[in-house]
């Protein structure tokens, strides 16, 4: 086998190359592998396995502690320190400002000239290449901007998408000698003591660093080694100093923008600086893996703490294809939309269950593995949704579907969009004007960007202060929608998300969500069975839906001491449902008997038998059929078991349950007795003996 070698900056030589195949050792000219494999391996005792795992865990924690010590001097975002550093360097600041203005200004001028000369469309590819080069030359901050634009087909033409997508992992590399020297300096070991082989050049280069493929010497594990770009802190620091100055200008003089722009910039700055600390990124990856990698279709690589520091990150190598490479994914027998759906469901769990989410899911950070898993990479930029906001977001969706605009406006208090002293009454008409039009579409037709743009227009008109976490949520979901739109222009994130919302509403015992469910199901004292049926149909599409979970929280709420108002509604609806089932059965029986026998029953008229007109009978039949469909949906759930009803019977044995049951039975008896009395006291109908 031919091997290549690379001399590091420290003078160490070690084998490198893409082929990492181990050699087979022979002794005395014989291959001994067959003899060893023929013997069955004895399983170690369970106690030994447990002790070994515990030992590995201790070693891992100790290695992480040492990695943290190596990153003790990592920089953190501090506007004060940036102001102190660059406030005394006006020439450097001016030079950078002119550099940015000249680069972007000249590009804007070229676009204007293209438009004026009628060659705008012909020059799209040329201008896209120029914009990619400009972002690359301007450095990491603008590369981040380009990465975001590369996933928005609704903003950028296809030529721009293709060119800007190269900013995800095809940026110019820096010298290998600098990278290898950084590894040795950060880890305090010569390269040949860490790796048995390493790729001779970077496999990928991103905005903050570049990645090598290597093989660990002690274990033979194939790993990805990310090394930070030299001088990255200086470049990013100066850009954030300038951007923050622009934010201060906007806050003071641009009245149309009511959000605190500086706060948003500071939040973004903190996230970017966290990306510069690779130990923090490793800890983010570990937390993300613990929360979300329990799903068989999600893959999160392991971190090798022994070989990780503030500027070097060593993690498990993942084979895969970028999520925007549709042709390569389909050649593996996979579907892009299936993977995007997996990403959306995982993102919803991130945003609304645990609140810890990946805030930078561009295609370079999302891979489709040959096994069909969705692999998450690059955990530098993470954020958290406040606990109160998680339920409020779901409730906000319910209020939107219900067109309850006053409740929607009040949600902004909980979401921290408005201070409590702001009067929301003027905001309600603005919400109504936008959503009355938007909600004329079905959920499956609603576009996430349409809602974001519409809400944005409302936010600009009133004193909203959009929290930083919300901006990152929008970025995360718009990126996923952009990936989906690449594969299917008709894809809608909201339609793909609705099963999750339905499942949470039906199964989550959170009091806020239980109240939101009641608001959705009850209106003007009537139960909306069509809404429940729709929730069950959609909720069942979520693989975590449980019929058992959907039953128990509702019962607990119904029989709670403060549930009297709900009990009154339930008693009323239970009487109506029972009547529908009984009378529906009577109508079915009547329709099943021969015609000659019908004339013997109330003059052959089912209306007389039920004391209801045709419209009332049709309404009762429809209600009965809805109830049967809903029951069928529950029974067809994978985890449905008649034994699930046993806890209901136990609950009904409680004093509140017995009282509720008695009131339902009393109402049914009263209703049927009234109909029977109508039947007995009805006015006789005279039928003419002749026909006209």
């Amino acid at each position: 086998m031919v091997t290549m070698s690379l001399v590091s900056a420290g003078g160490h030589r070690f084998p490198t190359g893409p082929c990492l195949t181990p050699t087979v050792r022979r002794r005395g000219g014989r291959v001994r592998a067959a003899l060893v494999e023929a013997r069955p391996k004895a399983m170690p005792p369970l106690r030994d396995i447990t002790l070994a795992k515990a030992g590995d865990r201790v070693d891992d924690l100790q290695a992480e502690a040492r990695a943290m010590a190596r990153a003790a001097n990592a920089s953190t975002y501090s506007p004060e320190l940036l102001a102190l550093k660059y406030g005394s360097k006006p020439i450097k600041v001016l030079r950078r400002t002119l550099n940015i203005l000249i680069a972007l200004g000249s590009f804007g001028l070229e676009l204007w000239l293209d438009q004026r000369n009628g060659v705008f469309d012909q020059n799209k590819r040329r201008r896209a290449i120029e914009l990619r080069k400009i972002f690359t030359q301007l450095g990491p901050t603008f590369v981040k901007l380009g990465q975001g634009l590369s996933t928005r087909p609704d903003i950028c033409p296809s030529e721009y998408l293709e060119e800007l997508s190269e900013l995800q992992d095809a940026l110019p590399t820096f010298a290998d000698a600098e990278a290898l020297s950084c590894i040795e300096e950060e880890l305090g070991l010569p390269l040949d003591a860490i790796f048995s082989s390493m790729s001779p050049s970077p496999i990928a280069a991103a905005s903050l660093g570049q990645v090598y493929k290597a093989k660990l010497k002690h274990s033979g594990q194939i790993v990805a080694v990310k090394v930070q770009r030299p001088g990255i802190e200086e470049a990013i620091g100066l850009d954030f100093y300038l951007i923050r100055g622009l934010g201060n200008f906007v806050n003071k003089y641009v009245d149309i923008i009511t959000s605190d722009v500086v706060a948003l910039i500071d939040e973004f700055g903190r996230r970017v600086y966290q990306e510069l600390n690779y130990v923090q990124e490793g800890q983010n990856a570990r937390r993300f893996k613990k929360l979300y990698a329990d799903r068989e279709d999600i893959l999160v690589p392991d971190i090798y703490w022994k070989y990780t520091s503030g500027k070097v990150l060593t993690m498990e190598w993942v084979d895969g294809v970028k999520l925007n490479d549709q042709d390569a994914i389909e050649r593996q027998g996979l579907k892009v939309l299936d993977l995007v759906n997996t990403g959306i469901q995982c993102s919803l769990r991130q945003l609304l269950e645990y609140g810890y989410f990946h805030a930078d899911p561009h295609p370079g950070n999302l891979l489709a593995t040959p096994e069909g898993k969705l692999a998450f990479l690059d955990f530098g930029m993470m954020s958290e949704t406040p606990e109160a906001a998680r339920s409020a977001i779901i409730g906000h969706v319910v209020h939107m579907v219900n067109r309850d605009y006053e409740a929607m406006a009040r949600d902004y208090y909980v979401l921290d969009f408005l201070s409590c002293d702001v009067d929301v009454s003027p905001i309600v008409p603005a919400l109504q004007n936008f959503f009355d039009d938007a909600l004329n579409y079905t959920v499956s037709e609603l576009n996430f960007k349409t809602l974001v743009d519409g809400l944005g227009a409302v936010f600009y008109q009133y004193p909203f202060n959009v929290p930083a976490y919300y901006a990152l949520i929008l970025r995360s979901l718009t990126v996923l929608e952009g990936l989906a739109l690449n594969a299917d222009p008709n894809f809608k994130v909201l339609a793909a998300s609705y099963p999750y919302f339905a499942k949470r509403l039906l199964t989550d015992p959170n009091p806020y969500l239980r109240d939101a469910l009641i608001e959705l199901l009850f209106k003007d004292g009537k139960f909306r069975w069509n809404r429940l049926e729709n929730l069950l149909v959609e909720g069942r599409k979520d693989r975590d839906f449980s019929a058992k979970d959907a039953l128990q929280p509702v019962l607990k709420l119904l029989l709670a001491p403060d549930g009297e108002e709900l009990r009154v509604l339930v008693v009323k609806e239970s009487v109506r449902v029972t009547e529908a089932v009984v009378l529906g059965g009577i109508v079915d029986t009547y329709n099943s008997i021969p015609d000659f026998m019908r004339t013997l029953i109330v003059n052959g008229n089912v209306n007389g038998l039920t004391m209801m007109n045709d419209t009332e009978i049709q309404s009762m039949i429809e209600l009965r059929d809805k109830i049967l469909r809903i029951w069928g949906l529950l029974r067809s759930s994978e985890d449905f078991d008649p034994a699930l009803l046993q806890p209901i019977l136990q609950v009904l044995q409680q004093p509140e349950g017995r009282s509720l049951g008695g009131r339902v039975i009393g109402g049914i008896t009263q209703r049927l007795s009234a109909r029977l009395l109508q039947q007995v006291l009805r006015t006789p109908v005279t039928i003419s003996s002749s026909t006209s």
Side-chain angles (χ1 to χ4, degrees), residues 221-224 289 299-304 314-318:
Q221 178 71 41
I222 307 300
V223 294
K289 185 182 183 78
L299 175 64
V300 179
D302 288 323
I303 304 298
Y304 292 87
T314 303
M315 66 171 64
E316 176 187 0
W317 178 266
V318 177

Side-chain angles (χ1 to χ4, degrees), residues 173-377:
T173 62
F174 58 93
D176 292 316
E178 287 186 273
L180 301 178
S181 177
C182 179
I183 294 173
E184 292 188 324
E185 183 178 343
E186 287 287 308
L187 302 183
L189 292 170
L191 290 174
D192 55 7
I194 305 172
F195 308 112
S196 58
S197 79
M198 191 174 192
S199 57
S201 59
I203 301 297
S207 55
L208 304 183
Q210 60 193 35
V211 179
Y212 294 86
K213 185 177 183 180
K215 183 177 182 180
L216 290 178
K217 188 172 184 177
H218 80 285
S219 66
Q221 178 71 41
I222 307 300
V223 294
V225 184
K226 183 160 73 169
V227 187
Q228 194 171 109
R229 288 181 179 274
I232 191 79
E233 294 180 21
E234 178 71 18
I236 287 179
L238 179 54
D239 283 345
F240 271 105
Y241 173 76
L242 293 173
I243 294 171
R244 199 172 190 275
L246 179 62
N248 276 316
F249 178 85
V250 171
N251 278 354
K252 289 181 180 179
Y253 302 109
V254 183
D255 294 334
I256 194 173
I257 299 178
T258 57
S259 296
D260 188 345
V261 177
V262 171
L264 293 174
I265 292 170
D266 286 344
E267 177 66 17
F268 184 61
R270 281 190 287 272
R271 301 300 173 187
V272 172
Y273 267 74
Q274 284 182 7
E275 286 192 77
L276 297 180
N277 183 351
Y278 286 173
V279 170
Q280 179 65 54
E281 179 176 344
Q283 292 173 327
N284 293 344
R286 182 187 59 189
R287 182 180 177 188
F288 191 91
K289 185 182 183 78
K290 181 179 179 181
L291 292 177
Y292 309 115
D294 56 328
R295 304 302 178 88
E296 60 183 14
D297 52 5
I298 298 293
L299 175 64
V300 179
D302 288 323
I303 304 298
Y304 292 87
W305 294 108
K306 189 175 180 180
Y307 309 114
T308 293
S309 71
K311 296 182 179 180
V312 176
L313 177 63
T314 303
M315 66 171 64
E316 176 187 0
W317 178 266
V318 177
D319 285 312
V321 179
K322 288 197 298 184
L323 214 55
N324 61 348
D325 193 345
Q326 186 172 354
D327 292 338
I329 290 174
E330 291 179 350
R331 283 197 297 270
Q332 295 185 21
L334 305 174
K335 295 182 179 179
V336 174
L337 288 183
D338 289 344
L339 292 158
V340 170
N341 264 313
T342 298
I344 290 171
Q345 299 308 313
C346 185
S347 292
L348 290 171
R349 290 185 71 205
Q350 294 173 47
L351 300 172
L352 302 175
E353 282 186 32
Y354 298 104
Y356 187 68
F357 64 94
H358 195 301
D360 193 22
H362 64 72
N365 294 338
L366 298 171
L367 298 182
T369 72
E371 300 79 24
K373 294 184 178 184
L374 179 64
F376 282 81
L377 305 176

Side-chain angles (χ1 to χ4, degrees), residues 558-561 567 651-661 663:
L558 178 62
L559 301 179
R567 286 194 286 273
V651 170
L652 291 176
Q653 294 302 311
Q654 300 174 7
E656 295 87 352
R658 290 198 297 270
S659 172
L660 179 63
R663 289 160 66 181

Side-chain angles (χ1 to χ4, degrees), residues 535-590:
L535 283 175
L536 286 169
V537 169
E538 293 295 330
R540 278 164 41 87
K541 296 177 183 178
D542 190 286
R543 62 183 179 185
D544 292 332
F545 175 78
S546 167
K548 177 181 178 180
D549 292 340
L551 291 172
Q552 304 310 315
V554 173
L555 279 174
K556 291 179 181 178
L557 177 66
L558 178 62
L559 301 179
D562 57 349
E564 177 59 27
E565 184 178 353
L566 177 61
R567 286 194 286 273
V568 171
L569 295 174
V570 169
V571 168
K572 180 180 177 181
E573 195 62 29
S574 298
V575 171
R576 196 166 76 95
V577 168
T578 303
E579 184 182 35
V581 172
V582 171
L583 294 180
I586 292 174
V587 172
D588 287 346
T589 302
Y590 176 84

Side-chain angles (χ1 to χ4, degrees), residues 82-126:
L82 291 179
L84 187 64
K85 179 177 182 179
Y86 295 108
S88 59
K89 299 178 180 179
I91 296 177
K92 187 170 188 177
V93 171
L94 180 61
R95 187 183 300 118
R96 177 60 174 169
T97 303
L98 290 175
N99 186 21
I100 294 172
L101 290 177
I102 291 172
L104 296 181
S106 61
F107 179 75
L109 178 61
E110 288 176 337
L111 289 180
W112 180 76
L113 290 174
D114 286 347
Q115 184 75 40
R116 186 176 180 180
N117 296 330
V119 292
F120 186 82
D121 290 333
Q122 295 93 311
N123 285 347
K124 275 184 181 178
R125 174 67 64 182
R126 180 181 174 185

